[in-house]
Amino acid sequence: MNVTWCNSMRAPGEAQGNFALESAMDELAYELGIDPLELRLRNYAESQPQLGLPWSSKALRECYEVGAERFGWSRRLPEPRSMRDGDWLIGYGLAGVSFFWFQKPCEATATLRRDGTALVRSAVTDIGTGTYTVMAQLSAELLGLDLPRVTFELGDTDLPPGAVEGGSGLTASLGSAIHAACRNLVQAFLDTVRDDPTSPLAGCAVDEVSIGRGRIHRTGSPERGEAYTDILVAHGLTELSAHGASTPADSRELSLAPAGPFGAKFVEVRVDPDLGLLRVARVVSVIDAGRILNEKTATSQIIGGTVGGIGMAMFEETVTDPGSGRIANATFGDYLIPVNADIPDMQVSFVGRPDSFNPVGVKGVGEIGLVGMGAAIANAVHHATGRRIRSLPITIDKLF
């Protein structure tokens, strides 16, 4: 029968491949008698293996080290079934995680009006990942305006062509376009006063000025500047606009390998050996996602991905009827997903530095939260029980 291939989920490909790779790494560590964290640190790649170039940013080692300290990895006893809490078997597991680099061409426009408000536009979407919020924040920063004075508009094909919301690449794609648009807008204001002998900004280039509080001023001389609104009024303008476009940089020109986000997942599980019950007790996620534009929304992204990863590891499974080919559990009454009672205490930390491959310094954060959860939970289950689970989800029958 022509049966649907049910596979795609957040972090497609990376989540599934990571489960195989990081489970194998854990199994190798036990074969060699080496701590699973130590094995990963011994085989750490300082440069991108295929290109032989240094990463544009990579703080995976710091993810391991910070995560191990905050999780308490040093308390782990190496032998399986060696840690207990009453009747429960306790297991510690970890996984190193990464997500591919993704950036597409994107365009944006920025407009500043005589009333001191700005409008930034691009034909992108926001599917709940916080695009509205972080792009308004970024625009306000780049134009030196208070956040309430900036409006970000999206979701209309009449706007400048935008990039896809996917692949954890929109923030880098759109952020770079907005960076270009805002820089060009500041340049447009400087062009307006270039030949004005009464302007303290006459003859200035964009690299010679700073911005803040709705003003442009000469760098190092805050008193030698003008407000956007004063420039517009003085020259009889109601507004000024500028366009910006971004295309991904060439790794050969920068002599850098573009880096997606990295991270480490540390998990504690509890297993009841008599009933085959599995509970996730704690999750510590440490993520290198370059510059974090909004820590609250980025943390929410990681938490959401972690919940999805718990579903992948313990609950979610599409069952196909062998006689008819129909999906047998096509409702949420039958297709199990995590609920609040299944979700443990979760800690999220960000490390690293701004990435060098785009002017904003960001990397994707949308999908890295899910990658590694399957392996980390399965590795923790092995530590708790001595059973190596090689297929997901990990259900009661696999634990007996």
Side-chain angles (χ1 to χ4, degrees):
M1 286 176 285
N2 184 14
V3 178
T4 301
W5 182 44
C6 297
N7 171 274
S8 187
M9 61 186 303
R10 204 172 198 193
E14 297 291 316
Q16 292 87 341
N18 178 279
F19 170 65
L21 178 63
E22 290 293 318
S23 295
M25 289 279 285
D26 197 70
E27 190 166 350
L28 176 62
Y30 279 93
E31 279 292 317
L32 298 176
I34 299 174
D35 184 286
L37 176 59
E38 177 64 23
L39 178 67
R40 287 163 174 81
L41 292 174
R42 288 190 192 184
N43 292 277
Y44 190 81
E46 297 289 356
S47 59
Q48 210 271 9
Q50 284 76 33
L51 298 177
L53 295 173
W55 300 95
S56 55
S57 63
K58 185 184 182 186
L60 179 57
R61 183 184 297 276
E62 189 177 356
C63 292
Y64 285 136
E65 293 170 348
V66 171
E69 179 181 356
R70 295 187 178 177
F71 181 80
W73 184 259
S74 61
R75 297 194 299 269
R76 170 186 174 273
L77 302 178
E79 290 299 318
R81 302 181 70 94
S82 60
M83 298 176 66
R84 282 182 174 267
D85 181 6
D87 293 333
W88 292 90
L89 296 170
I90 307 299
Y92 286 4
L94 73 88
V97 301
S98 63
F99 197 77
F100 57 82
W101 174 84
F102 182 69
Q103 186 178 335
K104 300 292 285 185
C106 191
E107 298 180 25
T109 59
T111 301
L112 214 152
R113 309 181 184 107
R114 189 181 283 195
D115 63 0
T117 62
L119 175 64
V120 181
R121 296 174 286 181
S122 182
V124 298
T125 58
D126 187 342
I127 58 173
T129 53
T131 304
Y132 270 117
T133 302
V134 296
M135 291 306 152
Q137 287 182 281
L138 178 62
S139 301
E141 174 192 309
L142 294 171
L143 293 174
L145 298 173
D146 292 334
L147 182 58
R149 304 193 70 78
V150 177
T151 299
F152 180 64
E153 183 181 342
L154 52 72
D156 192 323
T157 54
D158 287 336
L159 302 177
V164 63
E165 174 103 35
S168 296
L170 181 61
T171 301
S173 304
L174 178 57
S176 298
I178 289 177
H179 183 278
C182 292
R183 180 181 174 88
N184 292 341
L185 182 56
V186 173
Q187 183 63 63
F189 274 91
L190 294 176
D191 291 342
T192 301
V193 301
R194 182 175 303 280
D195 300 320
D196 182 354
T198 65
S199 173
L201 298 172
C204 278
V206 69
D207 292 327
E208 299 173 333
V209 300
S210 300
I211 54 173
R213 298 185 177 182
R215 298 178 74 253
I216 308 173
H217 63 83
R218 292 178 180 266
T219 300
S221 301
E223 72 284 355
R224 301 178 64 191
E226 285 188 273
Y228 294 121
T229 52
D230 292 342
I231 294 174
L232 292 173
V233 170
H235 293 269
L237 300 171
T238 58
E239 63 182 36
L240 272 178
S241 296
H243 179 266
S246 71
T247 56
D250 189 322
S251 59
R252 293 166 296 184
E253 292 181 1
L254 295 180
S255 296
L256 291 172
F262 294 94
K265 292 280 189 178
F266 292 81
V267 171
E268 176 187 330
V269 302
R270 296 176 170 234
V271 179
D272 185 320
D274 296 322
L275 300 177
L277 297 178
L278 169 61
R279 299 286 185 266
V280 177
R282 291 187 295 137
V283 179
V284 172
S285 303
V286 184
I287 306 297
D288 163 27
R291 181 189 176 197
I292 302 299
L293 296 179
N294 185 308
E295 187 169 350
K296 183 175 183 178
T297 58
T299 298
S300 292
Q301 289 279 287
I302 301 303
I303 290 173
T306 301
V307 172
I310 292 173
M312 174 187 177
M314 297 172 54
F315 298 100
E316 300 185 49
E317 181 177 23
T318 303
V319 179
T320 303
D321 180 74
S324 66
R326 294 176 64 88
I327 295 175
N329 59 337
T331 73
F332 283 134
D334 301 307
Y335 182 90
L336 301 182
I337 59 175
V339 297
N340 285 354
D342 300 308
I343 303 307
D345 173 60
M346 289 189 283
Q347 297 181 40
V348 178
S349 301
F350 295 101
V351 298
R353 59 176 175 79
D355 190 68
S356 303
F357 220 73
N358 64 79
V360 185
V362 297
K363 299 195 284 188
V365 74
E367 290 159 290
I368 191 68
L370 191 150
V371 182
M373 281 304 299
I377 291 174
N379 293 341
V381 166
H382 175 265
H383 182 233
T385 67
R387 294 181 66 88
R388 179 66 65 182
I389 308 297
R390 294 190 174 87
S391 64
L392 301 178
I394 302 172
T395 48
I396 290 176
D397 55 298
K398 294 177 182 176
L399 291 173
F400 278 133

